[in-house]
Coordinates of all heavy atoms in Angstrom, one line a residue:
S1 N 101.4 90.2 98.9 CA 100.2 89.5 99.0 C 99.2 90.3 99.7 O 99.5 91.2 100.5 CB 100.3 88.1 99.7 OG 100.8 88.3 101.0
G2 N 97.9 90.1 99.4 CA 96.8 90.8 100.0 C 96.6 92.2 99.5 O 96.0 93.1 100.1
I3 N 97.1 92.4 98.2 CA 97.1 93.8 97.7 C 97.0 93.6 96.1 O 97.5 92.6 95.6 CB 98.4 94.6 98.1 CG1 98.2 96.1 97.8 CG2 99.6 94.0 97.5 CD1 99.3 96.9 98.4
I4 N 96.4 94.6 95.5 CA 96.4 94.7 94.0 C 97.8 95.3 93.6 O 97.9 96.5 93.5 CB 95.2 95.5 93.5 CG1 93.9 94.9 94.0 CG2 95.2 95.4 92.0 CD1 92.7 95.7 93.7
F5 N 98.7 94.4 93.4 CA 100.1 94.8 93.2 C 100.2 95.8 92.0 O 101.0 96.8 92.1 CB 100.9 93.5 92.9 CG 102.4 93.8 92.8 CD1 103.2 94.0 93.9 CD2 103.0 93.8 91.5 CE1 104.6 94.2 93.7 CE2 104.3 94.0 91.3 CZ 105.1 94.2 92.4
S6 N 99.5 95.5 90.9 CA 99.8 96.3 89.7 C 99.4 97.7 89.8 O 99.9 98.5 89.0 CB 98.9 95.6 88.6 OG 97.6 95.7 88.8
I7 N 98.6 98.2 90.7 CA 98.2 99.6 90.8 C 99.2 100.4 91.7 O 99.0 101.6 91.9 CB 96.8 99.8 91.3 CG1 96.6 99.3 92.8 CG2 95.8 99.0 90.4 CD1 95.3 99.7 93.4
N8 N 100.2 99.7 92.2 CA 101.1 100.3 93.2 C 102.4 100.7 92.5 O 102.9 99.9 91.7 CB 101.4 99.4 94.4 CG 100.2 99.4 95.3 OD1 100.2 100.1 96.3 ND2 99.3 98.5 95.1
D9 N 102.9 101.8 92.9 CA 104.4 102.1 92.7 C 105.2 101.3 93.7 O 104.7 101.0 94.8 CB 104.7 103.6 92.9 CG 104.0 104.5 92.0 OD1 103.4 104.0 90.9 OD2 103.9 105.7 92.2
V10 N 106.3 100.9 93.2 CA 107.2 100.1 94.1 C 108.5 100.8 94.3 O 109.1 101.4 93.3 CB 107.5 98.7 93.5 CG1 108.5 97.9 94.4 CG2 106.3 97.9 93.2
R11 N 108.9 100.9 95.5 CA 110.2 101.6 95.9 C 111.0 100.7 96.7 O 110.5 99.9 97.5 CB 109.9 102.9 96.6 CG 108.9 103.8 95.9 CD 108.2 104.8 96.8 NE 107.4 105.7 96.1 CZ 106.6 106.6 96.7 NH1 106.5 106.6 98.0 NH2 105.8 107.4 96.0
W12 N 112.3 100.8 96.5 CA 113.3 100.1 97.4 C 114.1 101.2 98.1 O 114.5 102.2 97.5 CB 114.3 99.3 96.6 CG 113.8 98.0 96.1 CD1 113.3 97.7 94.9 CD2 113.7 96.8 96.8 NE1 112.9 96.4 94.8 CE2 113.2 95.8 96.0 CE3 114.1 96.4 98.1 CZ2 113.0 94.5 96.4 CZ3 113.9 95.1 98.5 CH2 113.3 94.1 97.6
H13 N 114.2 101.0 99.4 CA 114.9 102.0 100.3 C 116.0 101.2 101.0 O 115.9 100.0 101.1 CB 114.0 102.6 101.3 CG 112.7 103.2 100.8 ND1 112.5 104.5 100.6 CD2 111.6 102.6 100.3 CE1 111.3 104.8 100.1 NE2 110.7 103.6 99.9
R14 N 116.9 101.9 101.5 CA 117.9 101.2 102.4 C 118.3 102.1 103.5 O 118.2 103.4 103.5 CB 119.2 100.9 101.6 CG 120.0 102.1 101.1 CD 121.1 101.6 100.2 NE 121.9 102.7 99.7 CZ 122.9 102.6 98.8 NH1 123.2 101.4 98.3 NH2 123.6 103.7 98.4
Q15 N 118.7 101.5 104.6 CA 119.2 102.2 105.8 C 120.4 101.6 106.3 O 120.4 100.4 106.7 CB 118.1 102.4 106.8 CG 118.5 103.3 108.0 CD 117.3 103.7 108.8 OE1 116.3 103.1 108.8 NE2 117.4 104.8 109.5
A16 N 121.5 102.3 106.4 CA 122.7 101.8 107.0 C 122.8 102.3 108.4 O 122.2 103.3 108.8 CB 123.9 102.4 106.2
P17 N 123.5 101.6 109.2 CA 123.6 102.0 110.7 C 124.1 103.5 110.8 O 125.1 103.9 110.2 CB 124.7 101.0 111.2 CG 124.6 99.9 110.3 CD 124.3 100.4 109.0
G18 N 123.3 104.2 111.6 CA 123.7 105.6 111.9 C 123.4 106.5 110.8 O 123.7 107.7 110.8
K19 N 122.7 106.1 109.7 CA 122.4 106.9 108.6 C 120.9 107.0 108.4 O 120.1 106.2 108.8 CB 123.1 106.4 107.3 CG 124.6 106.5 107.4 CD 125.2 106.2 106.0 CE 126.7 106.4 106.0 NZ 127.3 106.1 104.7
E20 N 120.5 108.1 107.6 CA 119.1 108.3 107.3 C 118.7 107.2 106.2 O 119.5 106.7 105.5 CB 118.9 109.7 106.6 CG 119.2 110.8 107.6 CD 118.1 111.1 108.5 OE1 116.9 110.9 108.0 OE2 118.3 111.5 109.6
R21 N 117.4 106.9 106.2 CA 116.9 106.0 105.2 C 117.0 106.7 103.9 O 116.7 107.9 103.8 CB 115.5 105.6 105.5 CG 114.9 104.5 104.6 CD 113.6 104.0 105.1 NE 112.6 105.1 105.1 CZ 111.5 105.0 105.8 NH1 111.3 104.0 106.7 NH2 110.6 106.0 105.8
E22 N 117.4 105.9 102.8 CA 117.6 106.5 101.5 C 116.7 105.7 100.5 O 116.8 104.5 100.5 CB 119.0 106.4 101.1 CG 119.4 106.8 99.7 CD 120.8 106.4 99.4 OE1 121.4 105.5 100.0 OE2 121.3 107.0 98.4
R23 N 116.0 106.4 99.7 CA 115.3 105.7 98.6 C 116.3 105.4 97.5 O 117.0 106.4 97.0 CB 114.2 106.5 98.0 CG 113.4 105.7 96.9 CD 112.4 106.6 96.2 NE 111.4 107.2 97.1 CZ 110.5 108.0 96.6 NH1 110.4 108.3 95.3 NH2 109.6 108.5 97.5
V24 N 116.5 104.2 97.1 CA 117.5 103.9 96.0 C 116.9 103.7 94.6 O 117.6 103.9 93.6 CB 118.4 102.7 96.4 CG1 119.2 103.0 97.7 CG2 117.5 101.4 96.6
A25 N 115.7 103.2 94.6 CA 115.1 103.0 93.3 C 113.6 102.9 93.4 O 113.0 102.6 94.4 CB 115.6 101.6 92.7
A26 N 112.9 103.3 92.3 CA 111.5 103.2 92.2 C 111.0 102.9 90.8 O 111.7 103.2 89.9 CB 110.9 104.6 92.7
I27 N 109.8 102.2 90.8 CA 109.2 101.9 89.5 C 107.7 102.2 89.7 O 107.1 101.7 90.6 CB 109.5 100.5 89.0 CG1 108.9 100.3 87.6 CG2 109.1 99.4 90.0 CD1 109.4 99.0 87.0
T28 N 107.2 103.0 88.8 CA 105.8 103.3 88.9 C 104.9 102.2 88.3 O 105.4 101.2 87.7 CB 105.4 104.6 88.1 OG1 105.6 104.3 86.7 CG2 106.3 105.8 88.5
R29 N 103.6 102.3 88.5 CA 102.8 101.2 88.0 C 102.8 101.2 86.5 O 102.5 100.1 85.9 CB 101.3 101.4 88.5 CG 100.7 102.7 88.1 CD 99.3 102.9 88.7 NE 98.7 104.1 88.3 CZ 97.4 104.4 88.7 NH1 96.8 103.6 89.5 NH2 96.9 105.5 88.3
S30 N 103.2 102.2 85.8 CA 103.3 102.2 84.4 C 104.7 101.9 83.9 O 105.0 101.9 82.7 CB 102.9 103.6 83.8 OG 103.7 104.6 84.4
G31 N 105.6 101.6 84.9 CA 106.9 101.1 84.5 C 108.0 102.1 84.4 O 109.1 101.8 84.0
I32 N 107.8 103.4 84.8 CA 108.8 104.4 84.8 C 109.7 104.2 86.0 O 109.2 104.1 87.1 CB 108.2 105.8 84.8 CG1 107.3 106.0 83.6 CG2 109.2 106.9 84.9 CD1 106.5 107.3 83.6
R33 N 111.0 104.2 85.7 CA 112.0 103.9 86.7 C 112.8 105.2 87.1 O 113.0 106.0 86.2 CB 113.0 102.8 86.2 CG 112.4 101.5 85.9 CD 113.4 100.6 85.3 NE 113.0 99.2 85.1 CZ 112.2 98.8 84.1 NH1 111.8 99.6 83.2 NH2 111.9 97.5 84.1
N34 N 113.2 105.2 88.3 CA 114.2 106.2 88.6 C 115.1 105.7 89.8 O 114.7 104.8 90.5 CB 113.6 107.6 89.0 CG 112.7 107.6 90.2 OD1 113.1 107.4 91.3 ND2 111.4 107.7 89.9
Y35 N 116.3 106.3 89.9 CA 117.3 105.8 90.8 C 118.0 106.9 91.5 O 118.1 108.0 91.0 CB 118.3 105.0 90.0 CG 117.8 103.8 89.2 CD1 117.4 103.9 87.9 CD2 117.7 102.6 89.8 CE1 116.9 102.9 87.2 CE2 117.2 101.5 89.1 CZ 116.8 101.6 87.8 OH 116.3 100.6 87.1
A36 N 118.5 106.6 92.7 CA 119.4 107.5 93.4 C 120.7 107.6 92.6 O 121.1 106.6 92.0 CB 119.6 107.0 94.8
D37 N 121.3 108.8 92.6 CA 122.6 108.9 91.9 C 123.6 107.9 92.4 O 124.4 107.5 91.6 CB 123.1 110.3 92.1 CG 122.3 111.4 91.4 OD1 121.5 111.0 90.5 OD2 122.4 112.6 91.7
S38 N 123.5 107.5 93.6 CA 124.5 106.6 94.2 C 124.5 105.2 93.6 O 125.5 104.5 93.7 CB 124.4 106.6 95.7 OG 123.1 106.1 96.1
V39 N 123.4 104.9 93.0 CA 123.2 103.5 92.4 C 123.0 103.5 90.9 O 122.9 102.4 90.4 CB 122.1 102.7 93.2 CG1 122.3 102.8 94.7 CG2 120.7 103.3 92.8
K40 N 122.9 104.6 90.3 CA 122.6 104.6 88.9 C 123.7 103.9 88.1 O 124.9 104.0 88.4 CB 122.6 106.1 88.4 CG 121.2 106.7 88.5 CD 121.3 108.2 88.0 CE 119.9 108.9 88.2 NZ 120.0 110.3 87.8

């Protein structure tokens, strides 16, 4: 909310205890997707 959602890329990240944050998935504003190998 409070943002023009459609012009933004969206990314999901995760962080496990004691580990670096990892990007797991992304979708661009045009709908192009990519994934970390660990979740493909």
Side-chain angles (χ1 to χ4, degrees):
S1 60
I3 193 170
I4 304 174
F5 183 79
S6 61
I7 68 170
N8 283 268
D9 295 346
V10 180
R11 302 158 178 174
W12 284 97
H13 308 256
R14 67 186 180 189
Q15 188 164 22
K19 294 190 175 181
E20 297 278 327
R21 189 171 63 201
E22 173 190 22
R23 183 192 299 179
V24 295
I27 183 168
T28 67
R29 60 184 181 177
S30 58
I32 297 171
R33 298 171 172 85
N34 61 72
Y35 301 93
D37 287 343
S38 58
V39 306
K40 274 181 184 175

